[in-house]
Every structure is written in C-alpha cells, then in structure tokens.
Amino acid sequence: MLVKPAVATIVHQDVLKFLKAQPSESVDLIVTDPAYSGMNQHLLLGQGRIVGKYQEKGEGTWFEEFHDTPENYSQFLSECKRVLKQDRHLFLMFDSFSLLSLGAMVRDFFNVKNVVTWDKVNIGMGHYFRRQTEFILFASKGKRPVTRRDIPDIWKIKRLHRAAYPTQKPVELFEAMIASSKAQDSTEFMVCDPFVGSGSSAVAALRQRACFIGCDISEKAVSLSRHRIDVFLQSGIDIGQEKPAFDETLQKKFW
Ligand SMILES: C[S@@+](CC[C@H](N)C(=O)[O-])C[C@H]1O[C@@H](n2cnc3c(N)ncnc32)[C@H](O)[C@@H]1O
C-alpha cells in the first residue's frame, strides 16, 4: 500500500474565520492552546501580556489574544464540534483561571472525559503559589477510547526555557495528545490546531505520522511555524526545540 507523506498547512487567519472555512467533519483530532484574554484581565496586566525577554521596544504585544467572551467561546466550541469527525477527540489547554471560567462551557458541546494536569517539573511565575501546572481538558465527540489503558492523567514534561516564541509548548506535550488518540497504524489522520503559535503541534503531528492543518492570527507565528515545518520536513531537525523536554527518569514514555 502506498502511504501518502504527512503534510502540514498553516493559514494566516483568525480562528473563527479559519474554522468556518473548514468542511464539516474534516479533522480527526483538535489539539489547541488558545491565547485566552481572561487570565490577563484577572491579573490586571491589560491586554496582550508581554513576558520577560519577549518584550520588544516600540511594539505593544507579541501576539493578540482571543477575546474569550462566552459568545466567542461558544462559537469557537461549536465550530470545533462541526469540523471534527464523529467519534473523535479534542484536547483543549487551559490555565487555572480560564479552566474555572470557560472550562464548564465545553460540556455544552462535547463529552468531557477528564482534565489532564501538565506538570512542567520546574516552577514558574505566580503570586499565590508559583505555577508549575497547566491543564488539558480531554473531551470527545461521540465515543472513542484512548489508544492505551495505562496512561496516567498527570503528564510530567519539562517546560521550555528560552523558547523562540512566548508560551511555546514542548512538542512532546502535543505528541502525548496525538498518540493517545491516533492508532499507530492509521495512515490518514488529520490533526488541527487553530492557535498554532510556534508550530509545536504541527511538528508533533508530523512526528506521529499525521497530517496537520492550523492557523494563527499573528504573521510572526505563521512565518516562524512555516519555516520550522519546512526545515523539519527537509531535514528531520526541529529548529524550534533543540533539546527534548521529556526526561525518561520522570515518567515512562507512552508514545
Ligand atoms: C498560547 S499561544 C499558542 C502557543 C503554541 N501552542 C506553541 O506551542 O507555540 C496562542 C496563539 O494564539 C494566537 N491567536 C490569538 N488570537 C487569535 C485569533 N483570534 N485567531 C487565531 N489565533 C490567535 C496568538 O497569535 C498565539 O500565537
């Protein structure tokens, strides 16, 4: 049997416009890490938080945030549900604040199965207890088991230091999501991330022999992620993450 090579497409577009342009039931898995505005409002840092070294003179923000009003968030979830095939999964990332405010809405659209805790191993910023975790809400449209029955709901994967893009997530985090949903031998599997950022989810899809489609509203994110994917496809080298974020001593790898 001829196996088609995996491909990745990144579109420069707003999330809702992008999702509305996708055919119904066209993707096998959604993995995404939205730029929530709620947490920044909570922390009174204003719109478009600038983090540490990512601050650039003369430029207000590195990237825009998705205005996560209940109306926008409902539209986003409703479009995710439409584009996802029946009996497929969704992995949706949250910080603790957005999980409390928006997480419950996911139940109106999907069967919420669990909340996975991403343990970043090293502590980060935070006033009242420094943050070491983020959350990944795991849900399905219809019925679909995960690929293995021995996967824990705490994933220990080191956070990235000095990444090229703010809020860049380790490729291994997305690989864990994809490998939990995609049968290893499936040859046609489309992963979608409509907040693609640096392209970690796209590299993860390619590593897991899946195709990828995604978008981002930021031109910087689109050119960075397209270049990262091109180099990866040509050479197998991930210029966006030189060192692995997974340490075999932390946890047994399940993907
Ligand atoms: C938290 S970051 C994603 C980081 C990504 N997971 C990674 O590993 O690099 C969120 C991304 O959403 C993008 N974004 C913000 N508002 C958007 C919108 N309305 N439509 C599409 N993308 C948007 C930002 O430009 C940013 O790149």
Side-chain angles (χ1 to χ4, degrees), residues 13-16 18 32-36 49 62-67 93 160 165-171 174 193-201 215-219 221 228:
Q13 209 165 30
D14 165 73
V15 58
L16 291 177
F18 166 80
T32 199
D33 167 30
Y36 295 115
R49 164 182 41 152
W62 241 85
F63 59 66
E64 280 195 48
E65 289 165 339
F66 173 61
H67 295 288
M93 295 194 63
L160 301 178
Y165 196 72
T167 75
Q168 180 173 332
K169 304 298 180 294
V171 170
F174 290 110
D193 180 354
F195 293 97
V196 79
S198 66
S200 292
S201 53
C215 77
D216 203 289
I217 203 164
S218 143
E219 238 177 270
R228 184 175 178 188

mmCIF file of all heavy atoms in Angstrom, residues 13-16 18 32-36 49 62-67 93 160 165-171 174 193-201 215-219 221 228, ligand 1:
data_model
loop_
_atom_site.group_PDB
_atom_site.id
_atom_site.type_symbol
_atom_site.label_atom_id
_atom_site.label_comp_id
_atom_site.label_asym_id
_atom_site.label_seq_id
_atom_site.Cartn_x
_atom_site.Cartn_y
_atom_site.Cartn_z
ATOM 1 N N GLN A 13 -4.833 33.477 9.632
ATOM 2 C CA GLN A 13 -6.246 33.847 9.746
ATOM 3 C C GLN A 13 -6.705 33.836 11.205
ATOM 4 O O GLN A 13 -6.101 33.190 12.058
ATOM 5 C CB GLN A 13 -7.080 32.821 8.964
ATOM 6 C CG GLN A 13 -8.363 33.365 8.398
ATOM 7 C CD GLN A 13 -8.963 32.437 7.346
ATOM 8 O OE1 GLN A 13 -8.784 31.230 7.411
ATOM 9 N NE2 GLN A 13 -9.655 33.013 6.387
ATOM 10 N N ASP A 14 -7.794 34.520 11.439
ATOM 11 C CA ASP A 14 -8.450 34.484 12.742
ATOM 12 C C ASP A 14 -9.102 33.112 12.946
ATOM 13 O O ASP A 14 -9.620 32.510 11.996
ATOM 14 C CB ASP A 14 -9.521 35.577 12.781
ATOM 15 C CG ASP A 14 -10.488 35.392 13.932
ATOM 16 O OD1 ASP A 14 -10.070 35.635 15.071
ATOM 17 O OD2 ASP A 14 -11.636 34.972 13.702
ATOM 18 N N VAL A 15 -9.097 32.644 14.177
ATOM 19 C CA VAL A 15 -9.583 31.302 14.490
ATOM 20 C C VAL A 15 -11.004 31.034 13.983
ATOM 21 O O VAL A 15 -11.269 29.984 13.400
ATOM 22 C CB VAL A 15 -9.474 31.033 16.020
ATOM 23 C CG1 VAL A 15 -10.245 32.056 16.846
ATOM 24 C CG2 VAL A 15 -9.936 29.656 16.382
ATOM 25 N N LEU A 16 -11.912 31.984 14.193
ATOM 26 C CA LEU A 16 -13.307 31.704 13.812
ATOM 27 C C LEU A 16 -13.463 31.692 12.292
ATOM 28 O O LEU A 16 -14.160 30.846 11.733
ATOM 29 C CB LEU A 16 -14.267 32.703 14.463
ATOM 30 C CG LEU A 16 -14.394 32.545 15.985
ATOM 31 C CD1 LEU A 16 -15.312 33.614 16.577
ATOM 32 C CD2 LEU A 16 -14.897 31.155 16.369
ATOM 33 N N PHE A 18 -11.160 30.924 10.169
ATOM 34 C CA PHE A 18 -10.491 29.704 9.712
ATOM 35 C C PHE A 18 -11.396 28.485 9.904
ATOM 36 O O PHE A 18 -11.608 27.701 8.982
ATOM 37 C CB PHE A 18 -9.175 29.527 10.491
ATOM 38 C CG PHE A 18 -8.564 28.159 10.369
ATOM 39 C CD1 PHE A 18 -7.816 27.811 9.242
ATOM 40 C CD2 PHE A 18 -8.728 27.211 11.371
ATOM 41 C CE1 PHE A 18 -7.254 26.545 9.130
ATOM 42 C CE2 PHE A 18 -8.175 25.947 11.267
ATOM 43 C CZ PHE A 18 -7.437 25.614 10.145
ATOM 44 N N THR A 32 -5.292 22.090 20.999
ATOM 45 C CA THR A 32 -5.034 23.521 20.897
ATOM 46 C C THR A 32 -4.854 24.203 22.245
ATOM 47 O O THR A 32 -5.321 23.724 23.274
ATOM 48 C CB THR A 32 -6.114 24.217 20.036
ATOM 49 O OG1 THR A 32 -5.622 25.476 19.605
ATOM 50 C CG2 THR A 32 -7.438 24.381 20.766
ATOM 51 N N ASP A 33 -4.185 25.348 22.164
ATOM 52 C CA ASP A 33 -3.703 26.083 23.328
ATOM 53 C C ASP A 33 -4.055 27.558 23.081
ATOM 54 O O ASP A 33 -3.204 28.328 22.646
ATOM 55 C CB ASP A 33 -2.173 25.830 23.355
ATOM 56 C CG ASP A 33 -1.407 26.710 24.278
ATOM 57 O OD1 ASP A 33 -1.948 27.140 25.300
ATOM 58 O OD2 ASP A 33 -0.220 26.962 23.958
ATOM 59 N N PRO A 34 -5.313 27.943 23.311
ATOM 60 C CA PRO A 34 -5.745 29.289 22.926
ATOM 61 C C PRO A 34 -5.061 30.395 23.732
ATOM 62 O O PRO A 34 -4.618 30.171 24.864
ATOM 63 C CB PRO A 34 -7.255 29.281 23.236
ATOM 64 C CG PRO A 34 -7.643 27.844 23.299
ATOM 65 C CD PRO A 34 -6.430 27.133 23.836
ATOM 66 N N ALA A 35 -5.021 31.595 23.120
ATOM 67 C CA ALA A 35 -4.482 32.774 23.806
ATOM 68 C C ALA A 35 -5.638 33.409 24.555
ATOM 69 O O ALA A 35 -6.262 34.343 24.076
ATOM 70 C CB ALA A 35 -3.912 33.735 22.778
ATOM 71 N N TYR A 36 -5.951 32.910 25.737
ATOM 72 C CA TYR A 36 -7.087 33.434 26.490
ATOM 73 C C TYR A 36 -6.803 34.848 26.972
ATOM 74 O O TYR A 36 -5.704 35.146 27.413
ATOM 75 C CB TYR A 36 -7.359 32.555 27.714
ATOM 76 C CG TYR A 36 -7.789 31.159 27.373
ATOM 77 C CD1 TYR A 36 -6.998 30.067 27.707
ATOM 78 C CD2 TYR A 36 -9.007 30.920 26.733
ATOM 79 C CE1 TYR A 36 -7.390 28.774 27.413
ATOM 80 C CE2 TYR A 36 -9.411 29.627 26.438
ATOM 81 C CZ TYR A 36 -8.600 28.564 26.780
ATOM 82 O OH TYR A 36 -8.997 27.289 26.486
ATOM 83 N N ARG A 49 -0.321 40.556 27.270
ATOM 84 C CA ARG A 49 0.782 40.488 28.225
ATOM 85 C C ARG A 49 2.112 40.318 27.487
ATOM 86 O O ARG A 49 2.217 39.579 26.528
ATOM 87 C CB ARG A 49 0.487 39.286 29.110
ATOM 88 C CG ARG A 49 1.589 38.753 29.925
ATOM 89 C CD ARG A 49 1.077 37.536 30.676
ATOM 90 N NE ARG A 49 0.221 36.714 29.807
ATOM 91 C CZ ARG A 49 0.070 35.417 29.951
ATOM 92 N NH1 ARG A 49 0.698 34.805 30.909
ATOM 93 N NH2 ARG A 49 -0.719 34.736 29.163
ATOM 94 N N TRP A 62 3.275 40.806 21.744
ATOM 95 C CA TRP A 62 3.841 39.796 20.847
ATOM 96 C C TRP A 62 2.739 39.168 20.035
ATOM 97 O O TRP A 62 2.872 38.925 18.876
ATOM 98 C CB TRP A 62 4.560 38.715 21.657
ATOM 99 C CG TRP A 62 6.008 38.654 21.319
ATOM 100 C CD1 TRP A 62 6.988 39.431 21.859
ATOM 101 C CD2 TRP A 62 6.635 37.778 20.379
ATOM 102 N NE1 TRP A 62 8.187 39.080 21.316
ATOM 103 C CE2 TRP A 62 8.007 38.072 20.412
ATOM 104 C CE3 TRP A 62 6.191 36.782 19.534
ATOM 105 C CZ2 TRP A 62 8.929 37.411 19.622
ATOM 106 C CZ3 TRP A 62 7.113 36.118 18.749
ATOM 107 C CH2 TRP A 62 8.460 36.434 18.784
ATOM 108 N N PHE A 63 1.661 38.852 20.719
ATOM 109 C CA PHE A 63 0.535 38.322 19.959
ATOM 110 C C PHE A 63 -0.791 38.746 20.546
ATOM 111 O O PHE A 63 -0.892 39.123 21.698
ATOM 112 C CB PHE A 63 0.619 36.808 19.800
ATOM 113 C CG PHE A 63 0.662 35.992 21.062
ATOM 114 C CD1 PHE A 63 -0.414 35.947 21.936
ATOM 115 C CD2 PHE A 63 1.778 35.230 21.355
ATOM 116 C CE1 PHE A 63 -0.383 35.162 23.062
ATOM 117 C CE2 PHE A 63 1.826 34.439 22.486
ATOM 118 C CZ PHE A 63 0.731 34.409 23.348
ATOM 119 N N GLU A 64 -1.793 38.716 19.674
ATOM 120 C CA GLU A 64 -3.145 39.078 20.100
ATOM 121 C C GLU A 64 -3.726 37.968 20.932
ATOM 122 O O GLU A 64 -3.300 36.827 20.854
ATOM 123 C CB GLU A 64 -4.037 39.217 18.865
ATOM 124 C CG GLU A 64 -3.868 40.507 18.170
ATOM 125 C CD GLU A 64 -5.006 40.734 17.203
ATOM 126 O OE1 GLU A 64 -6.172 40.550 17.587
ATOM 127 O OE2 GLU A 64 -4.708 41.096 16.071
ATOM 128 N N GLU A 65 -4.742 38.344 21.679
ATOM 129 C CA GLU A 65 -5.442 37.326 22.455
ATOM 130 C C GLU A 65 -6.822 37.119 21.869
ATOM 131 O O GLU A 65 -7.419 38.042 21.333
ATOM 132 C CB GLU A 65 -5.564 37.779 23.899
ATOM 133 C CG GLU A 65 -4.234 37.729 24.580
ATOM 134 C CD GLU A 65 -4.235 38.494 25.869
ATOM 135 O OE1 GLU A 65 -5.096 39.366 26.041
ATOM 136 O OE2 GLU A 65 -3.368 38.206 26.687
ATOM 137 N N PHE A 66 -7.283 35.926 22.008
ATOM 138 C CA PHE A 66 -8.628 35.594 21.580
ATOM 139 C C PHE A 66 -9.571 36.164 22.638
ATOM 140 O O PHE A 66 -9.396 35.892 23.822
ATOM 141 C CB PHE A 66 -8.740 34.069 21.505
ATOM 142 C CG PHE A 66 -10.107 33.567 21.230
ATOM 143 C CD1 PHE A 66 -10.754 33.917 20.048
ATOM 144 C CD2 PHE A 66 -10.757 32.748 22.131
ATOM 145 C CE1 PHE A 66 -12.020 33.440 19.782
ATOM 146 C CE2 PHE A 66 -12.017 32.269 21.874
ATOM 147 C CZ PHE A 66 -12.656 32.621 20.700
ATOM 148 N N HIS A 67 -10.535 36.977 22.218
ATOM 149 C CA HIS A 67 -11.440 37.583 23.210
ATOM 150 C C HIS A 67 -12.443 36.536 23.656
ATOM 151 O O HIS A 67 -13.409 36.256 22.953
ATOM 152 C CB HIS A 67 -12.062 38.861 22.654
ATOM 153 C CG HIS A 67 -11.007 39.893 22.420
ATOM 154 N ND1 HIS A 67 -10.386 40.552 23.463
ATOM 155 C CD2 HIS A 67 -10.391 40.291 21.298
ATOM 156 C CE1 HIS A 67 -9.435 41.327 22.978
ATOM 157 N NE2 HIS A 67 -9.415 41.187 21.665
ATOM 158 N N MET A 93 -6.278 23.241 25.938
ATOM 159 C CA MET A 93 -5.437 23.654 27.070
ATOM 160 C C MET A 93 -6.025 24.847 27.823
ATOM 161 O O MET A 93 -6.635 25.734 27.230
ATOM 162 C CB MET A 93 -4.027 23.982 26.573
ATOM 163 C CG MET A 93 -3.332 22.745 26.032
ATOM 164 S SD MET A 93 -1.568 22.984 25.803
ATOM 165 C CE MET A 93 -1.026 23.285 27.480
ATOM 166 N N LEU A 160 9.622 24.707 28.518
ATOM 167 C CA LEU A 160 10.764 25.154 27.710
ATOM 168 C C LEU A 160 11.345 26.433 28.289
ATOM 169 O O LEU A 160 10.602 27.316 28.716
ATOM 170 C CB LEU A 160 10.334 25.411 26.261
ATOM 171 C CG LEU A 160 9.733 24.229 25.502
ATOM 172 C CD1 LEU A 160 9.309 24.655 24.109
ATOM 173 C CD2 LEU A 160 10.724 23.065 25.416
ATOM 174 N N TYR A 165 9.407 31.469 20.861
ATOM 175 C CA TYR A 165 8.088 32.098 20.837
ATOM 176 C C TYR A 165 7.508 32.108 22.253
ATOM 177 O O TYR A 165 7.615 31.109 22.975
ATOM 178 C CB TYR A 165 7.178 31.272 19.910
ATOM 179 C CG TYR A 165 5.913 31.980 19.480
ATOM 180 C CD1 TYR A 165 5.963 33.029 18.564
ATOM 181 C CD2 TYR A 165 4.674 31.606 19.991
ATOM 182 C CE1 TYR A 165 4.805 33.682 18.170
ATOM 183 C CE2 TYR A 165 3.512 32.256 19.590
ATOM 184 C CZ TYR A 165 3.590 33.292 18.681
ATOM 185 O OH TYR A 165 2.440 33.946 18.283
ATOM 186 N N PRO A 166 6.880 33.217 22.674
ATOM 187 C CA PRO A 166 6.320 33.208 24.023
ATOM 188 C C PRO A 166 5.203 32.171 24.126
ATOM 189 O O PRO A 166 4.474 31.969 23.156
ATOM 190 C CB PRO A 166 5.750 34.623 24.190
ATOM 191 C CG PRO A 166 5.707 35.219 22.846
ATOM 192 C CD PRO A 166 6.637 34.466 21.952
ATOM 193 N N THR A 167 5.074 31.556 25.247
ATOM 194 C CA THR A 167 4.084 30.496 25.512
ATOM 195 C C THR A 167 4.270 29.255 24.636
ATOM 196 O O THR A 167 3.359 28.456 24.496
ATOM 197 C CB THR A 167 2.606 30.974 25.387
ATOM 198 O OG1 THR A 167 2.271 31.114 24.018
ATOM 199 C CG2 THR A 167 2.336 32.262 26.110
ATOM 200 N N GLN A 168 5.455 29.119 24.046
ATOM 201 C CA GLN A 168 5.727 27.920 23.227
ATOM 202 C C GLN A 168 5.674 26.667 24.097
ATOM 203 O O GLN A 168 6.291 26.595 25.158
ATOM 204 C CB GLN A 168 7.105 28.055 22.583
ATOM 205 C CG GLN A 168 7.480 26.865 21.703
ATOM 206 C CD GLN A 168 8.775 27.104 20.936
ATOM 207 O OE1 GLN A 168 9.125 28.250 20.639
ATOM 208 N NE2 GLN A 168 9.487 26.052 20.620
ATOM 209 N N LYS A 169 4.930 25.679 23.631
ATOM 210 C CA LYS A 169 4.791 24.438 24.394
ATOM 211 C C LYS A 169 5.723 23.371 23.817
ATOM 212 O O LYS A 169 6.023 23.379 22.618
ATOM 213 C CB LYS A 169 3.346 23.917 24.322
ATOM 214 C CG LYS A 169 2.304 24.919 24.798
ATOM 215 C CD LYS A 169 2.488 25.292 26.256
ATOM 216 C CE LYS A 169 1.479 26.279 26.790
ATOM 217 N NZ LYS A 169 1.508 27.635 26.217
ATOM 218 N N PRO A 170 6.148 22.420 24.671
ATOM 219 C CA PRO A 170 7.024 21.356 24.163
ATOM 220 C C PRO A 170 6.296 20.481 23.148
ATOM 221 O O PRO A 170 5.111 20.181 23.317
ATOM 222 C CB PRO A 170 7.358 20.534 25.409
ATOM 223 C CG PRO A 170 6.787 21.249 26.578
ATOM 224 C CD PRO A 170 5.866 22.308 26.110
ATOM 225 N N VAL A 171 7.010 20.076 22.124
ATOM 226 C CA VAL A 171 6.440 19.182 21.110
ATOM 227 C C VAL A 171 5.911 17.904 21.774
ATOM 228 O O VAL A 171 4.863 17.376 21.412
ATOM 229 C CB VAL A 171 7.519 18.851 20.047
ATOM 230 C CG1 VAL A 171 7.067 17.746 19.116
ATOM 231 C CG2 VAL A 171 7.859 20.101 19.254
ATOM 232 N N PHE A 174 2.241 17.830 22.838
ATOM 233 C CA PHE A 174 1.278 17.563 21.759
ATOM 234 C C PHE A 174 1.414 16.124 21.243
ATOM 235 O O PHE A 174 0.430 15.515 20.850
ATOM 236 C CB PHE A 174 1.456 18.566 20.620
ATOM 237 C CG PHE A 174 1.027 19.965 20.998
ATOM 238 C CD1 PHE A 174 1.960 20.972 21.159
ATOM 239 C CD2 PHE A 174 -0.303 20.269 21.225
ATOM 240 C CE1 PHE A 174 1.577 22.261 21.517
ATOM 241 C CE2 PHE A 174 -0.707 21.550 21.592
ATOM 242 C CZ PHE A 174 0.233 22.549 21.734
ATOM 243 N N ASP A 193 -4.912 22.508 14.766
ATOM 244 C CA ASP A 193 -4.661 23.442 15.875
ATOM 245 C C ASP A 193 -4.901 24.859 15.369
ATOM 246 O O ASP A 193 -4.077 25.415 14.634
ATOM 247 C CB ASP A 193 -3.219 23.284 16.393
ATOM 248 C CG ASP A 193 -2.924 24.235 17.552
ATOM 249 O OD1 ASP A 193 -3.785 25.076 17.879
ATOM 250 O OD2 ASP A 193 -1.813 24.140 18.126
ATOM 251 N N PRO A 194 -6.010 25.479 15.754
ATOM 252 C CA PRO A 194 -6.307 26.824 15.255
ATOM 253 C C PRO A 194 -5.642 27.966 16.033
ATOM 254 O O PRO A 194 -5.956 29.131 15.786
ATOM 255 C CB PRO A 194 -7.836 26.888 15.344
ATOM 256 C CG PRO A 194 -8.199 25.958 16.452
ATOM 257 C CD PRO A 194 -7.130 24.907 16.523
ATOM 258 N N PHE A 195 -4.745 27.660 16.981
ATOM 259 C CA PHE A 195 -3.916 28.678 17.662
ATOM 260 C C PHE A 195 -2.476 28.148 17.622
ATOM 261 O O PHE A 195 -1.904 27.763 18.653
ATOM 262 C CB PHE A 195 -4.358 28.854 19.119
ATOM 263 C CG PHE A 195 -5.727 29.456 19.312
ATOM 264 C CD1 PHE A 195 -6.843 28.654 19.528
ATOM 265 C CD2 PHE A 195 -5.916 30.839 19.291
ATOM 266 C CE1 PHE A 195 -8.108 29.200 19.735
ATOM 267 C CE2 PHE A 195 -7.175 31.399 19.491
ATOM 268 C CZ PHE A 195 -8.274 30.579 19.711
ATOM 269 N N VAL A 196 -1.882 28.099 16.457
ATOM 270 C CA VAL A 196 -0.693 27.275 16.240
ATOM 271 C C VAL A 196 0.594 27.846 16.843
ATOM 272 O O VAL A 196 1.513 27.096 17.150
ATOM 273 C CB VAL A 196 -0.544 26.965 14.730
ATOM 274 C CG1 VAL A 196 0.048 28.144 13.986
ATOM 275 C CG2 VAL A 196 0.268 25.721 14.511
ATOM 276 N N GLY A 197 0.671 29.166 17.026
ATOM 277 C CA GLY A 197 1.869 29.774 17.630
ATOM 278 C C GLY A 197 3.138 29.377 16.906
ATOM 279 O O GLY A 197 3.260 29.541 15.687
ATOM 280 N N SER A 198 4.072 28.775 17.649
ATOM 281 C CA SER A 198 5.383 28.431 17.084
ATOM 282 C C SER A 198 5.364 27.183 16.203
ATOM 283 O O SER A 198 6.356 26.854 15.578
ATOM 284 C CB SER A 198 6.348 28.155 18.240
ATOM 285 O OG SER A 198 5.918 26.977 18.921
ATOM 286 N N GLY A 199 4.246 26.445 16.225
ATOM 287 C CA GLY A 199 4.156 25.246 15.378
ATOM 288 C C GLY A 199 4.529 23.950 16.083
ATOM 289 O O GLY A 199 4.721 22.921 15.426
ATOM 290 N N SER A 200 4.574 23.965 17.423
ATOM 291 C CA SER A 200 4.924 22.724 18.141
ATOM 292 C C SER A 200 3.929 21.603 17.849
ATOM 293 O O SER A 200 4.312 20.438 17.708
ATOM 294 C CB SER A 200 4.958 22.970 19.655
ATOM 295 O OG SER A 200 6.019 23.814 19.985
ATOM 296 N N SER A 201 2.643 21.944 17.758
ATOM 297 C CA SER A 201 1.627 20.908 17.495
ATOM 298 C C SER A 201 1.797 20.333 16.089
ATOM 299 O O SER A 201 1.547 19.140 15.864
ATOM 300 C CB SER A 201 0.222 21.476 17.674
ATOM 301 O OG SER A 201 0.062 22.642 16.892
ATOM 302 N N CYS A 215 -3.981 27.429 12.071
ATOM 303 C CA CYS A 215 -3.935 28.851 11.716
ATOM 304 C C CYS A 215 -3.408 29.640 12.902
ATOM 305 O O CYS A 215 -3.335 29.139 14.029
ATOM 306 C CB CYS A 215 -5.321 29.354 11.326
ATOM 307 S SG CYS A 215 -6.418 29.637 12.728
ATOM 308 N N ASP A 216 -3.063 30.882 12.620
ATOM 309 C CA ASP A 216 -2.738 31.838 13.676
ATOM 310 C C ASP A 216 -2.999 33.224 13.117
ATOM 311 O O ASP A 216 -2.820 33.468 11.921
ATOM 312 C CB ASP A 216 -1.277 31.711 14.142
ATOM 313 C CG ASP A 216 -1.073 32.259 15.545
ATOM 314 O OD1 ASP A 216 -1.143 33.513 15.707
ATOM 315 O OD2 ASP A 216 -0.875 31.469 16.491
ATOM 316 N N ILE A 217 -3.392 34.118 14.009
ATOM 317 C CA ILE A 217 -3.698 35.487 13.578
ATOM 318 C C ILE A 217 -2.416 36.313 13.441
ATOM 319 O O ILE A 217 -2.404 37.350 12.795
ATOM 320 C CB ILE A 217 -4.679 36.140 14.580
ATOM 321 C CG1 ILE A 217 -5.438 37.271 13.921
ATOM 322 C CG2 ILE A 217 -3.979 36.573 15.862
ATOM 323 C CD1 ILE A 217 -6.670 37.709 14.697
ATOM 324 N N SER A 218 -1.336 35.841 14.062
ATOM 325 C CA SER A 218 -0.088 36.602 14.047
ATOM 326 C C SER A 218 0.789 36.203 12.857
ATOM 327 O O SER A 218 1.069 35.015 12.639
ATOM 328 C CB SER A 218 0.659 36.358 15.380
ATOM 329 O OG SER A 218 2.044 36.296 15.174
ATOM 330 N N GLU A 219 1.232 37.234 12.133
ATOM 331 C CA GLU A 219 2.103 36.991 10.975
ATOM 332 C C GLU A 219 3.409 36.333 11.405
ATOM 333 O O GLU A 219 3.946 35.461 10.731
ATOM 334 C CB GLU A 219 2.416 38.344 10.337
ATOM 335 C CG GLU A 219 2.001 38.433 8.888
ATOM 336 C CD GLU A 219 2.266 39.817 8.344
ATOM 337 O OE1 GLU A 219 1.350 40.649 8.452
ATOM 338 O OE2 GLU A 219 3.398 40.042 7.861
ATOM 339 N N ALA A 221 3.931 34.398 13.996
ATOM 340 C CA ALA A 221 3.720 32.974 14.303
ATOM 341 C C ALA A 221 3.657 32.169 13.019
ATOM 342 O O ALA A 221 4.243 31.076 12.924
ATOM 343 C CB ALA A 221 2.424 32.804 15.098
ATOM 344 N N ARG A 228 9.732 26.517 10.458
ATOM 345 C CA ARG A 228 10.073 25.367 11.331
ATOM 346 C C ARG A 228 9.629 24.049 10.686
ATOM 347 O O ARG A 228 10.368 23.058 10.694
ATOM 348 C CB ARG A 228 9.359 25.577 12.679
ATOM 349 C CG ARG A 228 9.670 24.528 13.720
ATOM 350 C CD ARG A 228 9.008 24.899 15.035
ATOM 351 N NE ARG A 228 9.233 23.906 16.052
ATOM 352 C CZ ARG A 228 8.635 23.910 17.246
ATOM 353 N NH1 ARG A 228 7.807 24.893 17.573
ATOM 354 N NH2 ARG A 228 8.889 22.953 18.117
HETATM 355 C C1 LIG B 1 -0.784 30.383 23.686
HETATM 356 S S1 LIG B 1 -0.257 30.767 22.054
HETATM 357 C C2 LIG B 1 -0.045 29.196 21.304
HETATM 358 C C3 LIG B 1 1.314 28.652 21.530
HETATM 359 C C4 LIG B 1 1.542 27.328 20.829
HETATM 360 N N1 LIG B 1 0.784 26.265 21.419
HETATM 361 C C5 LIG B 1 3.012 26.953 20.825
HETATM 362 O O1 LIG B 1 3.391 25.897 21.335
HETATM 363 O O2 LIG B 1 3.808 27.757 20.304
HETATM 364 C C6 LIG B 1 -1.733 31.328 21.336
HETATM 365 C C7 LIG B 1 -1.650 31.784 19.902
HETATM 366 O O3 LIG B 1 -2.955 32.215 19.511
HETATM 367 C C8 LIG B 1 -2.801 33.235 18.546
HETATM 368 N N2 LIG B 1 -4.082 33.983 18.464
HETATM 369 C C9 LIG B 1 -4.554 34.959 19.291
HETATM 370 N N3 LIG B 1 -5.771 35.373 18.895
HETATM 371 C C10 LIG B 1 -6.081 34.628 17.813
HETATM 372 C C11 LIG B 1 -7.193 34.573 16.951
HETATM 373 N N4 LIG B 1 -8.241 35.382 17.130
HETATM 374 N N5 LIG B 1 -7.180 33.687 15.938
HETATM 375 C C12 LIG B 1 -6.099 32.842 15.740
HETATM 376 N N6 LIG B 1 -5.002 32.866 16.506
HETATM 377 C C13 LIG B 1 -5.000 33.737 17.533
HETATM 378 C C14 LIG B 1 -1.629 34.058 19.038
HETATM 379 O O4 LIG B 1 -1.045 34.776 17.980
HETATM 380 C C15 LIG B 1 -0.737 32.963 19.624
HETATM 381 O O5 LIG B 1 0.236 32.564 18.685
#
